[in-house]
Amino acid sequence: MYPTFDYLQWDSHWRHPHDITIVTAMVDIERPDRKFDAHYLQGVSHILKSRHPIVMFCDEKYFDEIKAMRGNEPITLINFGVKDIEHTKVFAQIQNIIEAESWRNQSEWMKSSVICSPHYIPLTLHKHSLLTQALSHYNSSYYYWID
């Protein structure tokens, strides 16, 4: 009834899947508000359905499971965990700040928040470095960090 129309051909914003690489991390920082395997493996399964290449920083114990979920789509897995976070340049300085009562008492919500986790802020600040490291994979024009 209607002619076939290739919208991707006319979409000026469309990019070939390999022109965009997704970068993400899956690190168990022992959040008290959720179980890591149940929450993050379920969440990452959605990202793994993307047709774009993926660079993922995670503990190598998850490599086989992630590869199985990813199937034949391109993925680079890089071993990364809390020990790597602890070896960042600013880890000790951040610990001095977040352990200070004056910092924790800034607001009531902070006292029971993941923001007081020893690894949360250092991981968040380290994401730019991880994204930079991912640039050596897939030769894409665009790299996007997705949590």
Side-chain angles (χ1 to χ4, degrees):
M1 174 178 251
Y2 296 102
T4 303
F5 185 76
D6 184 356
Y7 288 96
L8 294 179
Q9 179 181 351
W10 295 98
D11 184 355
S12 63
H13 300 290
W14 184 82
R15 297 274 182 199
H16 188 276
H18 287 221
D19 201 32
I20 296 170
T21 294
I22 294 171
V23 184
T24 192
M26 191 176 81
V27 181
D28 187 358
I29 59 169
E30 299 178 358
R31 289 182 65 151
D33 59 333
R34 58 186 69 156
K35 294 194 183 298
F36 180 79
D37 288 355
H39 180 82
Y40 285 96
L41 283 174
Q42 179 184 2
V44 82
S45 71
H46 300 292
I47 294 173
L48 294 173
K49 292 176 186 172
S50 169
R51 61 193 176 134
H52 302 288
I54 295 174
V55 176
M56 180 181 287
F57 297 86
C58 64
D59 190 305
E60 65 184 342
K61 71 181 180 181
Y62 297 107
F63 282 13
D64 290 339
E65 189 169 359
I66 290 168
K67 286 178 186 176
M69 287 192 284
R70 183 69 172 152
N72 293 325
E73 295 294 332
I75 188 164
T76 299
L77 298 171
I78 300 171
N79 191 25
F80 185 82
V82 291
K83 295 292 181 202
D84 298 294
I85 297 169
E86 292 169 357
H87 288 99
T88 59
K89 294 178 184 177
V90 296
F91 186 79
Q93 294 169 307
I94 292 170
Q95 299 315 297
N96 289 336
I97 294 168
I98 67 173
E99 290 171 1
E101 287 298 319
S102 59
W103 187 81
R104 289 177 180 250
N105 290 330
Q106 290 180 79
S107 180
E108 195 61 36
W109 69 267
M110 289 175 65
K111 294 176 184 176
S112 60
S113 169
V114 70
I115 201 166
C116 292
S117 161
H119 300 101
Y120 181 79
I121 293 174
L123 174 59
T124 301
L125 295 175
H126 195 60
K127 287 178 182 179
H128 182 266
S129 177
L130 297 175
L131 185 59
T132 301
Q133 186 179 342
L135 296 177
S136 64
H137 301 275
Y138 300 111
N139 199 30
S140 296
S141 297
Y142 301 92
Y143 291 78
Y144 295 106
W145 186 277
I146 297 181
D147 276 332

